[in-house]
Amino acid sequence: MSALSALEQTLENRWDALWARLLDKEPVEVLDALRRECDDNAVVCREGRVMVPNAYDVELPDDVHDHLTRTGTDVGQALTDSLSRHAERRGYEFAGPLAVHVAKCPEVPNGRYRVASRVMQHVSADGFFYAAH
């Protein structure tokens, strides 16, 4: 492990520890679930190229969502950044621009959270221009 990788891992562990202290470990579990979702849906295209979904949906119970957003932190961006670092360490390529969407969902099983992924196609500026005309 290079010194830079060790530093990144240390920073990520501290970030996870901070989330755990502030929010009763729930976000750390969500981060772990996001990482598992990414790992479980990795597809080897050829040697040295592993693709993963680029759109992730995190559904949280109302009270957890309200608590996370009340702190003023952009939770979706924080989760996106963490997942991006995870993919970089694993050598994954996203199937397009990465996005993690966090939403309220009162029907989440067991009142915990739900994580799902999919491939969301990237629309180029040229493609958007031609679609609009």
Side-chain angles (χ1 to χ4, degrees):
M1 180 181 281
S2 72
L4 185 57
S5 293
L7 177 62
E8 286 178 352
Q9 185 65 42
T10 300
L11 290 173
E12 183 143 352
N13 289 343
R14 290 190 183 220
W15 173 252
D16 291 352
L18 176 63
W19 277 76
R21 274 199 316 261
L22 293 175
L23 304 166
D24 301 327
K25 297 194 180 206
E26 190 72 33
V28 175
E29 292 177 18
V30 172
L31 284 170
D32 287 343
L34 271 172
R35 292 173 187 149
R36 270 192 314 277
E37 182 73 14
C38 182
D39 293 342
D40 290 349
N41 290 288
V43 175
V44 178
C45 297
R46 61 177 164 78
E47 187 176 340
R49 187 163 191 209
V50 179
M51 301 295 291
V52 292
N54 64 321
Y56 294 80
D57 295 310
V58 177
E59 296 177 341
L60 301 171
D62 292 345
D63 58 336
V64 173
H65 184 275
D66 292 344
H67 181 70
L68 289 175
T69 55
R70 198 172 336 135
T71 63
T73 303
D74 184 346
V75 179
Q77 186 61 53
L79 293 172
T80 300
D81 293 345
S82 181
L83 189 58
S84 178
R85 287 190 301 272
H86 172 74
E88 186 177 323
R89 280 195 309 275
R90 297 281 176 121
Y92 296 156
E93 290 180 48
F94 289 104
L98 174 60
V100 176
H101 180 256
V102 180
K104 287 184 183 183
C105 183
E107 297 88 30
V108 175
N110 301 326
R112 307 236 341 147
Y113 54 85
R114 184 172 26 221
V115 176
S117 64
R118 66 189 184 287
V119 173
M120 184 171 59
Q121 294 183 355
H122 173 67
V123 178
S124 68
D126 290 337
F128 182 76
F129 176 77
Y130 290 118
H133 290 87

